[in-house]
């Protein structure tokens, strides 16, 4: 019995020794590596660039007065819609003293001439009734009276214009009421009641009473680098994202590329571009919003490509590792020729065929 126990103990020790040896041997063996495998597939590749800029109305109209004076009333404020011909402000004229004096003198002289012409006409009427003058002489006298009366009216209107910027006979054409010239949204009213304003003429731009724009006709304005400007053309689609409207993308179409470098772009050679933006009517856009325009510089449909991380670069050559055996994994290094890249996938023009598996990133190790 004791002999049997000794044999059992010896066997147990031998088994324990063998198990320990096998365990240590397995641990000491190098673990095979496992890589992610990527397929060569046909994909649509796009190479894009992002242009920063702003959203602006296509036409922003500056409303200026046609007469100098002081703002008496403001009927509109920034943010309100306005129709063409609607009054925005009223200007009170401050008469120039020499013009006022001249207009008053003209009116006094016109009144004197009108009274004299009226007296002459009354006298001539009496003589005509007595048949002492001819009809021709009477008509000449009446014409002189009509002319004197018209001159009196004109002198009175001239005085009213000097004093108030408007005459009673032409009130509908008043220049003291500043009207909008287009339908749109008032973007800014830079004047206040009591401010002096200067009329717009060939020698002076005049004071801006308000700026008005159609906010349904918007454009994106930005600049693009000279290395990319040759790849774009008028009419190509553009995707617009606006910083203030997260999660929204708006369609646009490129309609202008500057023929010369933008002088406001700094030291880099940048060219201004403009794109007409399509804005749904339920979306409110404010002038000057910062925005990004994604422009497709190059596009290829269903071209053979692999993820760019599978490419190995060696000087001017490019290689991939093609899977030749699954378990254990074995790869063969193969030279390939590449084309365009969209930043994630790269075109393979030679060296692979659809369905080929190439080595990607290290996944794990097998123990």
């Amino acid at each position: 019995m004791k002999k049997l126990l000794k044999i059992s103990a010896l066997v147990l020790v031998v088994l324990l020794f063998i198990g320990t040896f096998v365990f240590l041997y397995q641990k000491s063996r190098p673990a095979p590596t496992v890589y992610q495998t990527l397929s060569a597939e046909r994909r649509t590749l796009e190479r894009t660039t992002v242009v920063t800029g702003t959203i602006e109305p296509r036409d922003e109209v500056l409303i200026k007065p046609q007469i100098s004076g002081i703002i008496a009333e403001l009927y509109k404020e920034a943010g309100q819609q306005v129709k063409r011909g609607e009054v925005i402000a009223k200007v009170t004229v401050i008469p120039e003293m020499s013009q006022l004096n001249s207009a008053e003198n003209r009116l006094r002289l016109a009144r004197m001439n009108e009274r004299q012409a009226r007296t002459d006409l009354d006298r001539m009427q009496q003589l005509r009734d007595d048949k002492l003058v001819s009809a021709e002489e009477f008509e000449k006298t009446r014409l002189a009276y009509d002319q004197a009366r018209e001159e009196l009216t004109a002198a009175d209107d001239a005085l009213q214009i000097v004093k108030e910027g408007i005459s009673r006979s032409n009130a509908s054409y008043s220049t003291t009421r500043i009207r909008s010239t287009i339908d749109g949204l008032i973007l800014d009213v830079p004047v206040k009641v009591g401010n002096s304003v200067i009329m717009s003429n060939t020698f002076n731009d005049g004071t801006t009473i308000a700026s008005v724009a159609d906010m349904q006709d918007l454009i994106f304005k930005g600049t693009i680098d000279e290395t990319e400007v040759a790849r774009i053309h008028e009419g190509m689609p553009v995707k617009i994202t606006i910083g203030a409207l997260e999660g929204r993308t708006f369609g646009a179409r490129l309609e202008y590329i500057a023929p010369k470098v933008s002088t406001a772009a700094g030291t880099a050679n940048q060219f201004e571009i403009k794109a007409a933006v399509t804005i749904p009517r339920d979306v409110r856009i404010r002038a000057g919003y910062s925005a990004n325009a994604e422009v497709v510089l190059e596009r290829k449909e269903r071209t053979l490509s692999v993820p760019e991380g599978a490419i190995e670069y060696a000087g001017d050559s490019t290689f991939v590792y093609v899977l030749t055996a699954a378990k254990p994994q074995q790869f063969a290094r193969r030279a390939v020729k590449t084309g365009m890249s969209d930043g994630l996938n790269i075109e393979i023009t030679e060296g692979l065929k659809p369905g080929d598996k190439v080595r990607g990133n290290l996944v794990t190790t097998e123990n």
Side-chain angles (χ1 to χ4, degrees):
M1 186 66 180
K2 290 182 179 180
K3 184 177 181 180
L4 181 60
L5 290 173
K6 289 180 179 181
I7 293 172
S8 298
L10 181 61
V11 171
L12 182 61
V13 170
V14 171
L15 291 175
L16 182 62
F17 177 77
I18 293 172
T20 302
F21 178 78
V22 171
F23 174 75
L24 294 175
Y25 174 75
Q26 293 288 344
K27 293 291 290 182
S28 65
R29 292 179 62 190
T33 56
V34 177
Y35 290 91
Q36 178 187 15
T37 56
L38 307 170
S39 296
E41 300 175 358
R42 295 196 177 278
R43 303 177 177 88
T44 297
L45 302 183
E46 290 184 344
R47 188 162 77 85
T48 62
T49 187
V50 176
V51 178
T52 59
T54 56
I55 300 295
E56 300 179 8
R58 182 185 299 278
D59 297 308
E60 182 176 345
V61 178
L62 302 181
I63 309 299
K64 298 176 181 289
Q66 296 302 310
I67 193 167
S68 299
I70 293 177
I71 298 294
E73 294 182 63
L74 287 172
Y75 303 108
K76 299 290 182 179
E77 60 184 20
Q80 291 184 321
Q81 291 287 337
V82 67
K83 296 291 185 180
R84 181 177 181 178
E86 195 169 351
V87 178
I88 297 175
K90 180 180 178 182
V91 174
T92 297
V93 175
I94 303 300
E96 202 273 325
M97 295 309 298
S98 62
Q99 293 180 352
L100 178 62
N101 184 61
S102 177
E104 288 177 340
N105 289 338
R106 177 186 174 186
L107 180 60
R108 283 194 294 269
L109 181 60
R111 284 173 176 166
M112 293 171 58
N113 290 335
E114 192 271 342
R115 285 196 298 269
Q116 182 61 47
R118 181 66 190 177
T119 300
D120 292 343
L121 180 62
D122 291 342
R123 184 183 302 114
M124 189 61 68
Q125 180 68 47
Q126 183 63 41
L127 293 174
R128 183 173 181 272
D129 293 343
D130 296 338
K131 297 182 180 181
L132 298 176
V133 295
S134 64
E136 181 181 358
E137 290 180 299
F138 175 77
E139 291 298 330
K140 288 181 179 180
T141 305
R142 187 166 63 178
L143 176 61
Y145 170 71
D146 290 341
Q147 291 175 340
R149 189 172 57 181
E150 287 297 323
E151 172 59 20
L152 178 61
T153 301
D156 185 51
D157 285 347
L159 180 59
Q160 292 298 319
I161 290 173
V162 171
K163 284 183 175 181
E164 303 175 9
I166 182 176
S167 66
R168 284 184 288 271
S169 60
N170 295 309
S172 60
Y173 301 100
S174 170
T175 56
T176 62
R177 296 182 181 274
I178 313 304
R179 303 173 186 271
S180 176
T181 56
I182 63 169
D183 295 345
L185 180 73
I186 299 178
L187 302 181
D188 187 28
V189 180
V191 296
K192 297 180 179 179
V193 173
N195 285 164
S196 297
V197 295
I198 300 173
M199 66 181 294
S200 175
N201 53 44
T202 55
F203 305 103
N204 195 308
D205 287 340
T207 305
T208 298
I209 301 295
S211 59
V212 182
D214 180 2
M215 294 303 292
Q216 292 300 318
D217 187 10
L218 300 177
I219 61 172
F220 168 86
K221 291 179 66 174
T223 55
I224 190 170
D225 191 81
E226 64 177 346
T227 59
E228 298 173 334
V229 71
R231 297 179 180 272
I232 62 175
H233 58 83
E234 286 88 350
M236 66 190 309
V238 179
K239 293 180 182 178
I240 304 294
T241 55
I242 299 175
L245 303 175
E246 296 184 5
R248 297 294 299 265
T249 301
F250 303 94
R253 189 162 296 277
L254 194 62
E255 63 179 25
Y256 172 78
I257 304 171
K260 64 174 291 186
V261 172
S262 174
T263 56
T267 56
N269 284 349
Q270 301 281 321
F271 291 82
E272 184 182 52
I273 64 171
K274 297 178 183 178
V277 185
T278 302
I279 302 295
R281 289 197 171 272
D282 62 333
V283 178
R284 184 178 182 183
I285 303 295
R286 298 181 185 275
Y289 269 163
S290 59
N292 292 328
E294 183 179 334
V295 184
V296 178
L297 301 176
E298 189 176 2
R299 178 186 177 91
K300 290 193 176 181
E301 299 280 353
R302 292 188 55 76
T303 186
L304 187 64
S305 62
V306 296
E308 195 160 357
I311 301 296
E312 178 186 89
Y313 296 91
D316 295 334
S317 302
T318 51
F319 301 88
V320 294
Y321 289 86
V322 181
L323 181 69
T324 56
K327 287 193 176 182
Q329 285 184 336
Q330 294 182 17
F331 297 92
R333 191 170 187 252
R334 185 184 299 178
V336 295
K337 290 186 178 181
T338 59
M340 71 166 288
S341 169
D342 64 0
L344 296 176
N345 300 299
I346 189 168
E347 180 186 17
I348 303 296
T349 59
E350 289 184 19
L352 291 178
K353 62 181 182 298
D356 283 345
K357 302 288 186 181
V358 297
R359 190 178 75 183
N361 295 327
L362 178 66
V363 176
T364 184
T365 58
E366 293 179 350
N367 293 322

